[in-house]
Coordinates of all heavy atoms in Angstrom, one line a residue:
D141 N 1.5 44.1 44.8 CA 1.8 43.8 46.2 C 3.2 44.3 46.6 O 3.9 43.5 47.3 CB 1.6 42.3 46.5 CG 1.5 42.1 48.0 OD1 1.3 43.1 48.8 OD2 1.5 40.9 48.4
Q142 N 3.6 45.4 46.1 CA 4.8 46.0 46.4 C 6.0 45.1 46.1 O 7.0 45.1 46.8 CB 4.9 46.4 47.9 CG 3.8 47.5 48.3 CD 3.8 47.8 49.7 OE1 4.6 47.3 50.5 NE2 3.0 48.8 50.1
G143 N 5.9 44.3 45.0 CA 7.0 43.5 44.6 C 7.2 42.2 45.4 O 8.2 41.5 45.2
R144 N 6.3 41.9 46.3 CA 6.4 40.7 47.0 C 6.1 39.5 46.1 O 5.4 39.6 45.2 CB 5.5 40.7 48.2 CG 5.8 41.7 49.3 CD 4.9 41.6 50.5 NE 5.1 42.6 51.5 CZ 4.4 43.7 51.6 NH1 3.4 44.0 50.7 NH2 4.7 44.6 52.5
P145 N 6.7 38.3 46.5 CA 6.4 37.1 45.7 C 4.9 36.8 45.7 O 4.2 36.9 46.7 CB 7.2 36.0 46.3 CG 8.3 36.7 47.1 CD 7.6 38.0 47.5
V146 N 4.4 36.4 44.6 CA 3.0 36.0 44.4 C 3.0 34.5 44.2 O 3.6 33.9 43.3 CB 2.3 36.7 43.2 CG1 0.9 36.1 43.0 CG2 2.3 38.2 43.4
Q147 N 2.3 33.8 45.1 CA 2.2 32.3 45.0 C 1.1 31.9 44.1 O -0.1 32.3 44.3 CB 2.0 31.7 46.4 CG 2.1 30.2 46.4 CD 1.9 29.7 47.8 OE1 0.8 29.8 48.4 NE2 3.0 29.1 48.4
L148 N 1.5 31.2 43.1 CA 0.5 30.7 42.1 C 0.0 29.3 42.4 O -1.2 29.0 42.1 CB 1.1 30.8 40.7 CG 1.5 32.1 40.1 CD1 2.1 32.0 38.7 CD2 0.3 33.1 40.1
L149 N 0.9 28.5 42.9 CA 0.4 27.1 43.2 C 1.1 26.6 44.5 O 2.3 26.9 44.8 CB 0.8 26.2 42.0 CG 0.6 24.6 42.3 CD1 -0.9 24.4 42.3 CD2 1.3 23.8 41.2
R150 N 0.3 25.8 45.2 CA 0.8 25.1 46.3 C 0.1 23.8 46.3 O -1.1 23.7 46.2 CB 0.5 25.9 47.6 CG 1.0 25.3 48.9 CD 2.5 25.4 48.9 NE 3.1 24.8 50.1 CZ 4.4 24.8 50.4 NH1 5.2 25.4 49.5 NH2 4.9 24.2 51.5
A151 N 0.9 22.7 46.5 CA 0.3 21.3 46.4 C 1.0 20.4 47.3 O 2.2 20.6 47.6 CB 0.3 20.8 45.0
D152 N 0.3 19.3 47.7 CA 1.0 18.3 48.5 C 1.9 17.4 47.6 O 2.9 17.0 48.0 CB 0.0 17.4 49.2 CG -0.7 18.2 50.3 OD1 -0.2 19.3 50.7 OD2 -1.7 17.7 50.9
V153 N 1.3 17.1 46.4 CA 2.1 16.3 45.4 C 2.0 17.0 44.1 O 0.9 17.4 43.7 CB 1.5 14.9 45.3 CG1 2.2 14.1 44.2 CG2 1.6 14.1 46.7
A154 N 3.1 17.2 43.5 CA 3.2 17.8 42.1 C 4.4 17.2 41.4 O 5.5 17.5 41.7 CB 3.4 19.3 42.2
S155 N 4.1 16.2 40.6 CA 5.2 15.5 39.9 C 5.0 15.4 38.4 O 3.8 15.4 37.9 CB 5.3 14.0 40.5 OG 4.1 13.3 40.2
A156 N 6.1 15.4 37.7 CA 6.0 15.3 36.2 C 7.2 14.4 35.8 O 8.3 14.5 36.3 CB 6.1 16.7 35.6
E157 N 6.9 13.5 34.8 CA 7.9 12.6 34.3 C 7.7 12.5 32.8 O 6.6 12.6 32.2 CB 7.7 11.2 34.9 CG 8.0 11.2 36.4 CD 7.8 9.7 37.0 OE1 7.5 8.8 36.1 OE2 8.0 9.6 38.2
A158 N 8.9 12.3 32.1 CA 8.9 12.1 30.7 C 10.0 11.1 30.3 O 11.1 11.3 30.8 CB 9.1 13.4 29.9
A159 N 9.7 10.1 29.5 CA 10.7 9.1 29.1 C 10.5 8.8 27.7 O 9.3 8.8 27.2 CB 10.6 7.9 30.0
A160 N 11.5 8.4 27.0 CA 11.4 8.1 25.5 C 12.6 7.2 25.2 O 13.7 7.4 25.6 CB 11.4 9.3 24.7
D161 N 12.3 6.2 24.3 CA 13.4 5.3 23.8 C 12.9 4.9 22.4 O 11.9 5.4 21.9 CB 13.7 4.1 24.6 CG 12.5 3.3 25.0 OD1 11.5 3.3 24.2 OD2 12.4 2.7 26.1
A162 N 13.5 4.0 21.8 CA 13.2 3.5 20.4 C 11.8 2.9 20.4 O 11.2 2.9 19.3 CB 14.2 2.6 19.9
A163 N 11.4 2.3 21.5 CA 10.1 1.5 21.5 C 8.9 2.4 21.9 O 7.8 2.1 21.4 CB 10.2 0.3 22.4
R164 N 9.1 3.4 22.7 CA 8.0 4.1 23.2 C 8.4 5.5 23.8 O 9.6 5.7 24.1 CB 7.2 3.4 24.3 CG 8.1 3.0 25.5 CD 7.4 2.1 26.5 NE 6.4 2.8 27.3 CZ 5.4 2.3 27.9 NH1 5.2 1.0 27.8 NH2 4.6 3.0 28.6
A165 N 7.4 6.4 23.9 CA 7.6 7.7 24.5 C 6.4 8.0 25.4 O 5.2 7.8 24.9 CB 7.7 8.8 23.4
E166 N 6.6 8.4 26.6 CA 5.5 8.6 27.5 C 5.8 9.8 28.4 O 6.9 10.0 28.9 CB 5.4 7.4 28.4 CG 4.2 7.5 29.4 CD 4.1 6.2 30.3 OE1 4.9 5.3 30.1 OE2 3.2 6.1 31.1
G167 N 4.7 10.6 28.6 CA 4.8 11.7 29.5 C 3.6 11.7 30.5 O 2.5 11.3 30.1
S168 N 3.8 12.1 31.7 CA 2.7 12.0 32.7 C 2.9 13.1 33.7 O 4.1 13.6 34.0 CB 2.7 10.7 33.4 OG 3.9 10.4 34.1
A169 N 1.8 13.6 34.3 CA 1.8 14.6 35.3 C 0.7 14.3 36.3 O -0.3 13.8 36.0 CB 1.6 16.0 34.7
R170 N 1.0 14.7 37.6 CA 0.1 14.4 38.7 C 0.1 15.5 39.7 O 1.2 15.9 40.1 CB 0.4 13.0 39.3 CG -0.5 12.6 40.5 CD -0.2 11.2 40.9 NE -0.9 10.8 42.1 CZ -0.4 10.9 43.3 NH1 0.9 11.3 43.5 NH2 -1.1 10.5 44.4
L171 N -1.1 15.8 40.2 CA -1.3 16.8 41.2 C -2.2 16.3 42.3 O -3.3 15.7 42.0 CB -1.9 18.1 40.7 CG -0.9 19.2 40.2 CD1 -1.7 20.3 39.5 CD2 -0.2 19.8 41.4
A172 N -1.9 16.6 43.6 CA -2.8 16.2 44.7 C -2.8 17.3 45.7 O -1.8 17.9 46.0 CB -2.3 14.9 45.3
K173 N -4.0 17.6 46.1 CA -4.3 18.6 47.1 C -3.6 19.9 46.7 O -2.8 20.5 47.3 CB -3.7 18.2 48.5 CG -4.3 17.0 49.1 CD -5.8 17.2 49.4 CE -6.5 15.9 50.0 NZ -7.9 16.1 50.2
A174 N -4.1 20.4 45.5 CA -3.5 21.6 44.9 C -4.4 22.7 45.0 O -5.7 22.6 44.9 CB -3.2 21.3 43.4
R175 N -3.8 23.9 45.2 CA -4.6 25.2 45.3 C -3.9 26.2 44.4 O -2.7 26.4 44.5 CB -4.6 25.7 46.7 CG -5.4 24.8 47.7 CD -5.1 25.2 49.1 NE -3.7 25.0 49.5 CZ -3.2 23.8 49.8 NH1 -3.9 22.7 49.8 NH2 -1.9 23.7 50.2
V176 N -4.7 26.9 43.5 CA -4.2 27.8 42.6 C -4.7 29.2 42.9 O -5.9 29.4 43.2 CB -4.6 27.4 41.1 CG1 -4.1 28.5 40.1 CG2 -4.1 26.0 40.8
H177 N -3.7 30.2 42.9 CA -4.1 31.6 43.2 C -3.7 32.5 42.0 O -2.9 32.1 41.2 CB -3.3 32.1 44.5 CG -3.8 31.4 45.7 ND1 -4.8 31.9 46.6 CD2 -3.3 30.2 46.3 CE1 -4.9 31.1 47.6 NE2 -4.1 30.1 47.5
L178 N -4.4 33.6 42.0 CA -4.1 34.6 41.0 C -3.6 35.9 41.6 O -3.9 36.2 42.8 CB -5.4 34.9 40.2 CG -6.0 33.8 39.4 CD1 -7.2 34.2 38.7 CD2 -5.0 33.2 38.4
P179 N -2.8 36.7 40.9 CA -2.4 38.0 41.5 C -3.6 38.8 41.8 O -4.5 39.0 41.1 CB -1.6 38.6 40.3 CG -1.1 37.4 39.5 CD -2.2 36.4 39.6
G180 N -3.5 39.4 43.0 CA -4.6 40.2 43.5 C -5.6 39.4 44.3 O -6.5 40.0 45.0
L181 N -5.6 38.1 44.3 CA -6.5 37.3 45.2 C -5.6 36.3 46.0 O -5.6 35.1 45.8 CB -7.4 36.4 44.3 CG -8.4 37.2 43.5 CD1 -9.2 36.3 42.5 CD2 -9.4 37.9 44.4
P182 N -4.9 36.9 47.0 CA -4.0 36.0 47.8 C -4.8 35.1 48.8 O -4.3 34.0 49.1 CB -3.2 37.0 48.6 CG -4.0 38.2 48.7 CD -4.8 38.3 47.5
L183 N -6.0 35.4 49.1 CA -6.7 34.6 50.1 C -7.7 33.7 49.5 O -8.1 32.7 50.1 CB -7.4 35.5 51.2 CG -6.4 36.5 51.9 CD1 -7.2 37.4 52.9 CD2 -5.4 35.7 52.7
L184 N -8.2 34.0 48.3 CA -9.2 33.2 47.7 C -8.6 32.4 46.5 O -8.0 33.0 45.6 CB -10.3 34.1 47.1 CG -11.5 33.4 46.4 CD1 -12.2 32.5 47.4 CD2 -12.5 34.4 45.8
S185 N -8.7 31.1 46.6 CA -8.2 30.3 45.6 C -9.1 30.3 44.4 O -10.3 30.2 44.5 CB -8.0 28.8 46.0 OG -7.2 28.7 47.2
V186 N -8.5 30.5 43.2 CA -9.3 30.4 42.0 C -9.8 29.0 41.7 O -10.9 28.8 41.2 CB -8.5 30.9 40.8 CG1 -7.4 30.0 40.4 CG2 -9.4 31.1 39.6
V187 N -9.0 28.0 42.1 CA -9.5 26.6 42.0 C -8.7 25.7 43.1 O -7.5 26.0 43.3 CB -9.3 26.0 40.6 CG1 -7.8 25.9 40.2 CG2 -9.9 24.6 40.5
E188 N -9.4 24.8 43.6 CA -8.8 23.7 44.5 C -9.2 22.4 44.0 O -10.4 22.2 43.7 CB -9.2 23.9 45.9 CG -8.8 25.3 46.5 CD -9.2 25.4 48.0 OE1 -9.6 24.3 48.6 OE2 -9.2 26.5 48.5
V189 N -8.3 21.4 43.9 CA -8.6 20.1 43.4 C -8.0 19.1 44.4 O -6.9 19.3 45.0 CB -8.0 19.8 42.0 CG1 -8.7 20.8 41.0 CG2 -6.5 20.1 41.9

Side-chain angles (χ1 to χ4, degrees):
D141 196 11
Q142 299 179 357
R144 296 186 180 94
V146 176
Q147 188 177 67
L148 297 181
L149 174 70
R150 184 71 182 180
D152 292 347
V153 176
S155 62
E157 296 180 1
D161 54 28
R164 57 186 286 161
E166 181 179 2
S168 62
R170 178 173 173 262
L171 267 171
K173 299 297 181 181
R175 295 167 298 279
V176 178
H177 293 267
L178 296 178
L181 292 175
L183 302 178
L184 181 63
S185 301
V186 66
V187 65
E188 297 181 15
V189 296

